[in-house]
Short mmCIF file of all heavy atoms in Angstrom, two decimals:
data_model
loop_
_atom_site.label_atom_id
_atom_site.label_comp_id
_atom_site.label_asym_id
_atom_site.label_seq_id
_atom_site.Cartn_x
_atom_site.Cartn_y
_atom_site.Cartn_z
N HIS A 1 32.46 10.69 45.97
CA HIS A 1 33.40 11.76 46.22
C HIS A 1 33.26 12.29 47.72
O HIS A 1 34.28 12.66 48.28
CB HIS A 1 33.18 12.96 45.29
CG HIS A 1 33.44 12.61 43.82
ND1 HIS A 1 34.57 11.98 43.47
CD2 HIS A 1 32.61 12.69 42.73
CE1 HIS A 1 34.48 11.73 42.07
NE2 HIS A 1 33.26 12.31 41.64
N ARG A 2 32.08 12.21 48.16
CA ARG A 2 31.89 12.67 49.56
C ARG A 2 32.67 11.84 50.63
O ARG A 2 33.23 12.31 51.55
CB ARG A 2 30.49 12.67 49.99
CG ARG A 2 29.70 13.82 49.25
CD ARG A 2 28.21 13.88 49.68
NE ARG A 2 27.57 14.72 48.81
CZ ARG A 2 26.37 15.30 49.27
NH1 ARG A 2 25.82 15.03 50.37
NH2 ARG A 2 25.82 16.17 48.35
N GLN A 3 32.77 10.48 50.31
CA GLN A 3 33.51 9.64 51.20
C GLN A 3 35.00 9.95 51.09
O GLN A 3 35.64 9.94 52.16
CB GLN A 3 33.27 8.15 50.79
CG GLN A 3 31.85 7.64 51.10
CD GLN A 3 31.56 6.27 50.60
OE1 GLN A 3 32.23 5.81 49.63
NE2 GLN A 3 30.67 5.54 51.22
N ARG A 4 35.42 10.26 49.98
CA ARG A 4 36.88 10.55 49.78
C ARG A 4 37.20 11.85 50.55
O ARG A 4 38.24 11.98 51.26
CB ARG A 4 37.15 10.81 48.36
CG ARG A 4 37.44 9.55 47.61
CD ARG A 4 37.87 9.77 46.15
NE ARG A 4 38.99 10.62 45.91
CZ ARG A 4 39.33 10.97 44.74
NH1 ARG A 4 38.63 10.65 43.63
NH2 ARG A 4 40.42 11.77 44.57
N MET A 5 36.26 12.85 50.49
CA MET A 5 36.46 14.16 51.22
C MET A 5 36.47 13.99 52.67
O MET A 5 37.28 14.47 53.41
CB MET A 5 35.33 15.12 50.73
CG MET A 5 35.39 15.60 49.31
SD MET A 5 36.72 16.74 49.01
CE MET A 5 36.16 18.13 49.89
N SER A 6 35.45 13.19 53.23
CA SER A 6 35.38 13.10 54.63
C SER A 6 36.45 12.18 55.21
O SER A 6 36.91 12.32 56.39
CB SER A 6 34.00 12.47 55.02
OG SER A 6 33.83 11.20 54.47
N ALA A 7 37.04 11.19 54.34
CA ALA A 7 38.11 10.38 54.81
C ALA A 7 39.53 11.00 54.74
O ALA A 7 40.48 10.56 55.31
CB ALA A 7 38.02 9.12 54.09
N SER A 8 39.54 12.12 54.00
CA SER A 8 40.82 12.75 53.81
C SER A 8 41.34 13.50 54.88
O SER A 8 40.60 14.28 55.55
CB SER A 8 40.81 13.67 52.54
OG SER A 8 42.02 14.32 52.34
N ALA A 9 42.67 13.52 55.14
CA ALA A 9 43.31 14.33 56.18
C ALA A 9 43.37 15.76 55.68
O ALA A 9 43.46 16.66 56.51
CB ALA A 9 44.70 13.82 56.48
N GLU A 10 43.45 15.98 54.35
CA GLU A 10 43.47 17.32 53.74
C GLU A 10 42.29 17.40 52.78
O GLU A 10 42.43 17.30 51.54
CB GLU A 10 44.81 17.46 52.96
CG GLU A 10 46.01 17.38 53.77
CD GLU A 10 46.19 18.60 54.63
OE1 GLU A 10 45.66 19.69 54.28
OE2 GLU A 10 46.98 18.53 55.63
N PRO A 11 41.05 17.62 53.25
CA PRO A 11 39.89 17.64 52.43
C PRO A 11 39.94 18.76 51.34
O PRO A 11 39.42 18.44 50.17
CB PRO A 11 38.73 17.93 53.38
CG PRO A 11 39.39 18.37 54.65
CD PRO A 11 40.77 17.90 54.68
N GLN A 12 40.63 19.94 51.60
CA GLN A 12 40.67 20.91 50.44
C GLN A 12 41.52 20.34 49.26
O GLN A 12 41.09 20.49 48.20
CB GLN A 12 41.23 22.11 51.03
CG GLN A 12 41.26 23.25 49.98
CD GLN A 12 41.68 24.66 50.56
OE1 GLN A 12 41.59 24.77 51.79
NE2 GLN A 12 42.16 25.46 49.76
N GLN A 13 42.67 19.78 49.69
CA GLN A 13 43.46 19.20 48.56
C GLN A 13 42.74 18.03 47.87
O GLN A 13 42.91 17.80 46.65
CB GLN A 13 44.78 18.74 49.14
CG GLN A 13 45.66 19.86 49.60
CD GLN A 13 46.94 19.49 50.18
OE1 GLN A 13 47.05 18.43 50.75
NE2 GLN A 13 47.98 20.34 50.08
N GLU A 14 42.08 17.27 48.65
CA GLU A 14 41.27 16.13 48.04
C GLU A 14 40.22 16.71 47.08
O GLU A 14 39.97 16.19 46.00
CB GLU A 14 40.75 15.29 49.16
CG GLU A 14 40.14 13.97 48.61
CD GLU A 14 41.18 13.01 48.03
OE1 GLU A 14 42.36 13.14 48.51
OE2 GLU A 14 40.72 12.22 47.17
N GLY A 15 39.52 17.78 47.44
CA GLY A 15 38.62 18.38 46.56
C GLY A 15 39.19 18.88 45.30
O GLY A 15 38.47 18.68 44.19
N VAL A 16 40.41 19.42 45.41
CA VAL A 16 41.07 19.83 44.16
C VAL A 16 41.36 18.75 43.26
O VAL A 16 41.14 18.69 42.06
CB VAL A 16 42.33 20.67 44.53
CG1 VAL A 16 43.16 20.88 43.31
CG2 VAL A 16 41.93 22.00 45.21
N ALA A 17 41.88 17.61 43.86
CA ALA A 17 42.13 16.43 43.17
C ALA A 17 40.85 15.80 42.42
O ALA A 17 40.90 15.41 41.27
CB ALA A 17 42.85 15.34 44.05
N ILE A 18 39.74 15.84 43.11
CA ILE A 18 38.61 15.21 42.62
C ILE A 18 38.16 16.16 41.47
O ILE A 18 37.73 15.66 40.35
CB ILE A 18 37.43 15.23 43.66
CG1 ILE A 18 37.73 14.11 44.69
CG2 ILE A 18 36.09 15.00 43.05
CD1 ILE A 18 36.88 14.15 45.96
N ALA A 19 38.16 17.50 41.54
CA ALA A 19 37.80 18.47 40.51
C ALA A 19 38.70 18.18 39.32
O ALA A 19 38.16 18.23 38.11
CB ALA A 19 37.90 19.85 40.98
N GLN A 20 39.94 17.96 39.48
CA GLN A 20 40.87 17.78 38.40
C GLN A 20 40.56 16.46 37.67
O GLN A 20 40.59 16.47 36.41
CB GLN A 20 42.33 17.71 38.88
CG GLN A 20 42.82 19.10 39.35
CD GLN A 20 44.24 19.02 39.90
OE1 GLN A 20 44.59 18.08 40.46
NE2 GLN A 20 44.97 20.11 39.81
N GLU A 21 40.13 15.38 38.46
CA GLU A 21 39.80 14.12 37.82
C GLU A 21 38.52 14.33 37.06
O GLU A 21 38.43 13.76 35.91
CB GLU A 21 39.58 13.06 38.81
CG GLU A 21 40.91 12.68 39.59
CD GLU A 21 40.62 11.92 40.88
OE1 GLU A 21 39.53 11.50 41.16
OE2 GLU A 21 41.64 11.75 41.72
N ILE A 22 37.59 15.12 37.50
CA ILE A 22 36.37 15.34 36.74
C ILE A 22 36.67 16.04 35.44
O ILE A 22 36.12 15.71 34.43
CB ILE A 22 35.40 16.12 37.67
CG1 ILE A 22 34.80 15.23 38.69
CG2 ILE A 22 34.13 16.58 36.78
CD1 ILE A 22 34.01 15.90 39.88
N LEU A 23 37.58 17.03 35.57
CA LEU A 23 37.89 17.83 34.36
C LEU A 23 38.61 16.78 33.25
O LEU A 23 38.30 17.01 32.10
CB LEU A 23 38.91 18.88 34.65
CG LEU A 23 38.28 20.16 35.26
CD1 LEU A 23 39.45 21.20 35.65
CD2 LEU A 23 37.25 20.81 34.37
N GLU A 24 39.32 16.00 33.76
CA GLU A 24 40.10 14.98 32.80
C GLU A 24 38.97 14.10 32.20
O GLU A 24 39.07 13.83 31.04
CB GLU A 24 41.10 14.12 33.62
CG GLU A 24 42.24 14.91 34.01
CD GLU A 24 43.20 14.15 34.87
OE1 GLU A 24 42.97 12.96 35.27
OE2 GLU A 24 44.36 14.68 35.20
N GLU A 25 38.03 13.67 33.01
CA GLU A 25 36.98 12.82 32.43
C GLU A 25 36.10 13.43 31.40
O GLU A 25 35.74 12.87 30.44
CB GLU A 25 36.00 12.25 33.63
CG GLU A 25 36.77 11.32 34.53
CD GLU A 25 36.86 9.94 33.89
OE1 GLU A 25 36.00 9.46 33.21
OE2 GLU A 25 37.78 9.25 34.25
N ILE A 26 35.72 14.70 31.65
CA ILE A 26 34.76 15.37 30.68
C ILE A 26 35.34 16.07 29.62
O ILE A 26 34.71 16.51 28.64
CB ILE A 26 33.82 16.36 31.55
CG1 ILE A 26 34.62 17.54 32.04
CG2 ILE A 26 33.07 15.56 32.61
CD1 ILE A 26 33.75 18.64 32.69
N ARG A 27 36.79 16.24 29.60
CA ARG A 27 37.43 17.06 28.61
C ARG A 27 37.07 16.73 27.23
O ARG A 27 36.85 17.61 26.32
CB ARG A 27 38.89 16.89 28.85
CG ARG A 27 39.77 17.64 27.82
CD ARG A 27 39.52 19.21 27.87
NE ARG A 27 40.36 19.78 26.88
CZ ARG A 27 39.83 20.45 25.84
NH1 ARG A 27 38.63 20.44 25.55
NH2 ARG A 27 40.70 21.01 24.95
N PRO A 28 36.90 15.38 26.87
CA PRO A 28 36.60 15.10 25.47
C PRO A 28 35.26 15.53 25.00
O PRO A 28 34.97 15.63 23.78
CB PRO A 28 36.66 13.63 25.38
CG PRO A 28 37.50 13.21 26.55
CD PRO A 28 37.22 14.23 27.52
N TRP A 29 34.39 15.91 25.91
CA TRP A 29 32.97 16.23 25.53
C TRP A 29 32.59 17.64 25.81
O TRP A 29 31.50 18.07 25.51
CB TRP A 29 32.07 15.26 26.26
CG TRP A 29 32.36 13.83 25.97
CD1 TRP A 29 31.94 13.23 24.73
CD2 TRP A 29 33.07 12.87 26.57
NE1 TRP A 29 32.34 11.92 24.70
CE2 TRP A 29 33.08 11.70 25.84
CE3 TRP A 29 33.74 12.92 27.79
CZ2 TRP A 29 33.79 10.57 26.32
CZ3 TRP A 29 34.37 11.72 28.30
CH2 TRP A 29 34.32 10.64 27.53
N VAL A 30 33.48 18.56 26.27
CA VAL A 30 33.14 19.91 26.59
C VAL A 30 34.12 20.83 25.97
O VAL A 30 35.26 20.46 25.69
CB VAL A 30 33.10 20.14 28.10
CG1 VAL A 30 32.05 19.27 28.79
CG2 VAL A 30 34.48 20.05 28.77
N GLN A 31 33.72 22.03 25.77
CA GLN A 31 34.60 23.05 25.15
C GLN A 31 35.09 24.04 26.28
O GLN A 31 35.94 24.85 26.03
CB GLN A 31 33.88 23.77 24.05
CG GLN A 31 33.60 22.95 23.00
CD GLN A 31 32.89 23.77 21.76
OE1 GLN A 31 32.62 24.91 21.92
NE2 GLN A 31 32.67 23.12 20.64
N GLY A 32 34.60 23.92 27.48
CA GLY A 32 35.03 24.83 28.56
C GLY A 32 34.27 24.45 29.80
O GLY A 32 33.32 23.66 29.76
N VAL A 33 34.80 25.06 30.88
CA VAL A 33 34.04 24.86 32.22
C VAL A 33 34.02 26.23 32.82
O VAL A 33 34.74 27.13 32.52
CB VAL A 33 34.78 23.94 33.08
CG1 VAL A 33 34.72 22.48 32.58
CG2 VAL A 33 36.23 24.41 33.43
N TYR A 34 33.04 26.41 33.78
CA TYR A 34 32.85 27.63 34.49
C TYR A 34 32.96 27.35 36.00
O TYR A 34 32.16 26.56 36.54
CB TYR A 34 31.37 28.19 34.16
CG TYR A 34 31.22 29.62 34.66
CD1 TYR A 34 31.88 30.68 34.16
CD2 TYR A 34 30.33 29.75 35.67
CE1 TYR A 34 31.64 31.94 34.67
CE2 TYR A 34 30.04 31.05 36.21
CZ TYR A 34 30.71 32.14 35.63
OH TYR A 34 30.43 33.41 36.11
N LEU A 35 34.02 27.78 36.56
CA LEU A 35 34.29 27.49 37.99
C LEU A 35 34.00 28.75 38.83
O LEU A 35 34.53 29.83 38.42
CB LEU A 35 35.67 27.07 38.24
CG LEU A 35 36.04 25.82 37.42
CD1 LEU A 35 37.58 25.53 37.57
CD2 LEU A 35 35.28 24.58 37.81
N ILE A 36 33.29 28.64 39.85
CA ILE A 36 32.96 29.72 40.71
C ILE A 36 33.48 29.38 42.12
O ILE A 36 33.03 28.55 42.82
CB ILE A 36 31.39 30.02 40.85
CG1 ILE A 36 30.88 30.17 39.46
CG2 ILE A 36 31.17 31.18 41.71
CD1 ILE A 36 29.26 30.24 39.41
N PRO A 37 34.58 30.18 42.52
CA PRO A 37 35.19 29.87 43.78
C PRO A 37 34.34 30.43 44.93
O PRO A 37 33.74 31.43 44.91
CB PRO A 37 36.55 30.51 43.79
CG PRO A 37 36.29 31.74 42.84
CD PRO A 37 35.34 31.25 41.85
N GLN A 38 34.24 29.65 46.02
CA GLN A 38 33.61 30.10 47.21
C GLN A 38 34.50 31.11 47.96
O GLN A 38 35.66 31.02 47.95
CB GLN A 38 33.34 28.91 48.16
CG GLN A 38 32.19 28.04 47.71
CD GLN A 38 31.97 26.98 48.76
OE1 GLN A 38 32.78 26.44 49.40
NE2 GLN A 38 30.70 26.57 48.87
N PHE A 39 33.84 32.18 48.52
CA PHE A 39 34.55 33.19 49.22
C PHE A 39 35.73 33.77 48.56
O PHE A 39 36.68 34.12 49.15
CB PHE A 39 34.94 32.61 50.58
CG PHE A 39 33.72 31.89 51.31
CD1 PHE A 39 33.75 30.47 51.39
CD2 PHE A 39 32.68 32.59 51.81
CE1 PHE A 39 32.77 29.87 52.06
CE2 PHE A 39 31.59 31.97 52.40
CZ PHE A 39 31.67 30.55 52.52
N GLY A 40 35.61 33.98 47.21
CA GLY A 40 36.72 34.47 46.47
C GLY A 40 38.06 33.75 46.51
O GLY A 40 39.13 34.31 46.32
N ARG A 41 38.02 32.44 46.73
CA ARG A 41 39.26 31.60 46.79
C ARG A 41 39.65 31.25 45.38
O ARG A 41 39.58 30.09 44.98
CB ARG A 41 38.98 30.32 47.64
CG ARG A 41 38.62 30.58 49.07
CD ARG A 41 39.80 31.24 49.81
NE ARG A 41 41.06 30.57 49.59
CZ ARG A 41 41.47 29.56 50.45
NH1 ARG A 41 40.87 29.24 51.42
NH2 ARG A 41 42.73 29.00 50.04
N TYR A 42 40.10 32.28 44.66
CA TYR A 42 40.71 32.02 43.36
C TYR A 42 41.93 31.14 43.24
O TYR A 42 42.25 30.60 42.26
CB TYR A 42 40.88 33.32 42.61
CG TYR A 42 39.67 34.21 42.43
CD1 TYR A 42 39.36 35.18 43.38
CD2 TYR A 42 38.79 33.91 41.45
CE1 TYR A 42 38.07 35.91 43.26
CE2 TYR A 42 37.55 34.59 41.32
CZ TYR A 42 37.24 35.58 42.34
OH TYR A 42 36.05 36.33 42.07
N ASP A 43 42.60 31.12 44.39
CA ASP A 43 43.85 30.27 44.46
C ASP A 43 43.41 28.73 44.27
O ASP A 43 44.18 28.05 43.64
CB ASP A 43 44.58 30.54 45.76
CG ASP A 43 43.73 30.31 46.96
OD1 ASP A 43 42.55 30.75 47.03
OD2 ASP A 43 44.18 29.68 47.91
N ILE A 44 42.27 28.43 44.78
CA ILE A 44 41.82 27.03 44.72
C ILE A 44 41.52 26.73 43.24
O ILE A 44 41.82 25.73 42.62
CB ILE A 44 40.65 26.75 45.61
CG1 ILE A 44 41.12 26.89 46.99
CG2 ILE A 44 40.14 25.33 45.37
CD1 ILE A 44 40.01 26.72 48.07
N VAL A 45 40.83 27.67 42.55
CA VAL A 45 40.52 27.48 41.16
C VAL A 45 41.75 27.41 40.33
O VAL A 45 41.78 26.52 39.45
CB VAL A 45 39.63 28.70 40.64
CG1 VAL A 45 39.38 28.59 39.07
CG2 VAL A 45 38.31 28.68 41.30
N ALA A 46 42.71 28.20 40.67
CA ALA A 46 44.09 28.02 39.91
C ALA A 46 44.61 26.72 40.20
O ALA A 46 45.20 26.11 39.27
CB ALA A 46 45.04 29.18 40.46
N ASN A 47 44.53 26.14 41.32
CA ASN A 47 45.09 24.76 41.55
C ASN A 47 44.37 23.77 40.81
O ASN A 47 44.85 22.82 40.23
CB ASN A 47 45.00 24.52 43.07
CG ASN A 47 45.92 25.19 43.89
OD1 ASN A 47 46.89 25.79 43.44
ND2 ASN A 47 45.63 25.39 45.18
N ILE A 48 43.05 23.92 40.65
CA ILE A 48 42.25 23.01 39.90
C ILE A 48 42.64 23.11 38.41
O ILE A 48 42.79 22.12 37.76
CB ILE A 48 40.70 23.28 40.06
CG1 ILE A 48 40.21 23.04 41.49
CG2 ILE A 48 39.83 22.52 39.03
CD1 ILE A 48 38.89 23.40 41.85
N LEU A 49 42.82 24.29 37.98
CA LEU A 49 43.10 24.45 36.49
C LEU A 49 44.52 24.17 36.14
O LEU A 49 44.81 24.10 34.90
CB LEU A 49 42.75 25.99 36.13
CG LEU A 49 41.25 26.28 36.19
CD1 LEU A 49 41.04 27.75 35.83
CD2 LEU A 49 40.50 25.42 35.26
N ASP A 50 45.38 23.89 37.12
CA ASP A 50 46.75 23.48 36.72
C ASP A 50 46.70 22.25 35.85
O ASP A 50 47.54 22.03 35.01
CB ASP A 50 47.57 23.14 38.03
CG ASP A 50 48.02 24.35 38.71
OD1 ASP A 50 48.02 25.43 38.07
OD2 ASP A 50 48.38 24.28 39.94
N VAL A 51 45.78 21.32 36.08
CA VAL A 51 45.59 20.19 35.16
C VAL A 51 45.21 20.53 33.78
O VAL A 51 45.57 19.72 32.91
CB VAL A 51 44.59 19.23 35.84
CG1 VAL A 51 43.20 19.68 35.67
CG2 VAL A 51 44.73 17.83 35.31
N VAL A 52 44.57 21.62 33.51
CA VAL A 52 44.10 21.98 32.09
C VAL A 52 45.24 22.10 31.15
O VAL A 52 45.17 21.55 30.03
CB VAL A 52 43.25 23.19 32.16
CG1 VAL A 52 42.87 23.67 30.77
CG2 VAL A 52 41.97 23.01 33.07
N GLY A 53 46.38 22.65 31.60
CA GLY A 53 47.48 22.74 30.66
C GLY A 53 47.96 21.40 30.11
O GLY A 53 48.34 21.32 29.00
N SER A 54 47.91 20.40 30.92
CA SER A 54 48.28 19.04 30.42
C SER A 54 47.22 18.41 29.56
O SER A 54 47.46 17.40 28.99
CB SER A 54 48.68 18.15 31.72
OG SER A 54 47.47 17.87 32.53
N LEU A 55 45.98 18.94 29.70
CA LEU A 55 44.93 18.36 28.85
C LEU A 55 44.70 19.12 27.55
O LEU A 55 43.93 18.56 26.67
CB LEU A 55 43.60 18.43 29.63
CG LEU A 55 43.44 17.69 30.94
CD1 LEU A 55 42.24 17.98 31.66
CD2 LEU A 55 43.64 16.23 30.69
N THR A 56 45.36 20.17 27.28
CA THR A 56 45.07 20.91 26.03
C THR A 56 45.64 20.13 24.90
O THR A 56 46.66 19.40 24.99
CB THR A 56 45.70 22.33 26.09
OG1 THR A 56 47.07 22.15 26.30
CG2 THR A 56 45.11 23.19 27.07
N THR A 57 44.95 20.18 23.76
CA THR A 57 45.31 19.50 22.59
C THR A 57 45.53 20.43 21.48
O THR A 57 45.03 21.59 21.58
CB THR A 57 44.30 18.41 22.18
OG1 THR A 57 43.05 18.99 22.04
CG2 THR A 57 44.12 17.40 23.24
N ASN A 58 46.02 20.12 20.34
CA ASN A 58 46.15 20.91 19.17
C ASN A 58 44.59 21.20 18.73
O ASN A 58 43.96 20.21 18.37
CB ASN A 58 46.93 20.15 18.13
CG ASN A 58 47.07 21.02 16.85
OD1 ASN A 58 46.39 21.95 16.63
ND2 ASN A 58 48.13 20.59 16.09
N PRO A 59 44.32 22.36 18.61
CA PRO A 59 42.88 22.68 18.20
C PRO A 59 42.46 22.19 16.83
O PRO A 59 41.30 22.04 16.54
CB PRO A 59 42.73 24.28 18.37
CG PRO A 59 44.02 24.76 18.58
CD PRO A 59 45.04 23.58 18.89
N THR A 60 43.48 21.96 16.02
CA THR A 60 43.08 21.42 14.72
C THR A 60 42.92 19.84 14.68
O THR A 60 42.43 19.35 13.67
CB THR A 60 44.22 21.68 13.68
OG1 THR A 60 45.41 21.15 14.11
CG2 THR A 60 44.42 23.27 13.55
N GLN A 61 43.21 19.27 15.79
CA GLN A 61 43.09 17.85 15.86
C GLN A 61 41.85 17.48 16.68
O GLN A 61 41.58 18.18 17.63
CB GLN A 61 44.26 17.26 16.65
CG GLN A 61 45.61 17.44 15.90
CD GLN A 61 45.67 16.72 14.61
OE1 GLN A 61 45.16 15.58 14.41
NE2 GLN A 61 46.25 17.37 13.55
N PRO A 62 41.05 16.53 16.20
CA PRO A 62 39.84 16.13 16.97
C PRO A 62 40.30 15.53 18.39
O PRO A 62 41.30 15.01 18.54
CB PRO A 62 39.18 15.08 16.16
CG PRO A 62 40.15 14.67 15.18
CD PRO A 62 41.24 15.80 15.06
N THR A 63 39.46 15.92 19.37
CA THR A 63 39.75 15.46 20.74
C THR A 63 39.25 14.09 20.84
O THR A 63 38.16 13.69 20.42
CB THR A 63 39.10 16.35 21.69
OG1 THR A 63 39.47 17.67 21.46
CG2 THR A 63 39.38 16.00 23.15
N GLN A 64 39.99 13.18 21.39
CA GLN A 64 39.68 11.74 21.65
C GLN A 64 39.48 11.55 23.11
O GLN A 64 40.29 12.18 23.90
CB GLN A 64 40.84 10.85 21.17
CG GLN A 64 41.00 10.97 19.54
CD GLN A 64 39.85 10.56 18.89
OE1 GLN A 64 39.10 9.58 19.15
NE2 GLN A 64 39.47 11.23 17.76
N PRO A 65 38.62 10.79 23.53
CA PRO A 65 38.44 10.46 24.94
C PRO A 65 39.74 9.83 25.52
O PRO A 65 40.45 9.14 24.80
CB PRO A 65 37.30 9.45 25.02
CG PRO A 65 36.56 9.54 23.69
CD PRO A 65 37.58 10.05 22.78
N HIS A 66 39.97 10.26 26.78
CA HIS A 66 41.23 9.65 27.41
C HIS A 66 40.91 8.18 27.76
O HIS A 66 39.81 7.92 28.23
CB HIS A 66 41.53 10.41 28.69
CG HIS A 66 42.04 11.78 28.49
ND1 HIS A 66 41.14 12.82 28.34
CD2 HIS A 66 43.29 12.23 28.30
CE1 HIS A 66 41.91 13.95 28.11
NE2 HIS A 66 43.19 13.54 28.15
N LYS A 67 41.81 7.27 27.52
CA LYS A 67 41.69 5.95 27.84
C LYS A 67 42.10 5.69 29.30
O LYS A 67 43.11 6.17 29.71
CB LYS A 67 42.54 5.00 26.85
CG LYS A 67 42.06 5.13 25.43
CD LYS A 67 42.84 4.32 24.64
CE LYS A 67 42.42 4.35 23.18
NZ LYS A 67 43.21 3.58 22.23
N LYS A 68 41.37 4.91 30.08
CA LYS A 68 41.74 4.49 31.27
C LYS A 68 42.70 3.43 31.28
O LYS A 68 42.61 2.51 30.49
CB LYS A 68 40.49 4.13 32.18
CG LYS A 68 39.48 5.22 32.36
CD LYS A 68 38.51 4.90 33.35
CE LYS A 68 37.64 6.12 33.65
NZ LYS A 68 36.93 6.01 34.83
N ASN A 69 43.62 3.46 32.36
CA ASN A 69 44.63 2.40 32.29
C ASN A 69 44.10 1.16 32.93
O ASN A 69 43.28 1.12 33.79
CB ASN A 69 45.88 2.86 33.02
CG ASN A 69 46.52 3.96 32.38
OD1 ASN A 69 46.31 4.25 31.22
ND2 ASN A 69 47.37 4.72 32.98
#
């Protein structure tokens, strides 16, 4: 991940993308996450959590790991 961040022209956006990918990866095995924004940057946390809406499942259905393409 550090290589992606340092190679990116937009490191903040790359960091958000990396965090979203991590959330997608761990979603089948966690019930929640705790994000602490640096310097009160709640806007960045909101950007990271934009992906959560697409990851939510019906709570009555068991969560299955996402399959990689």
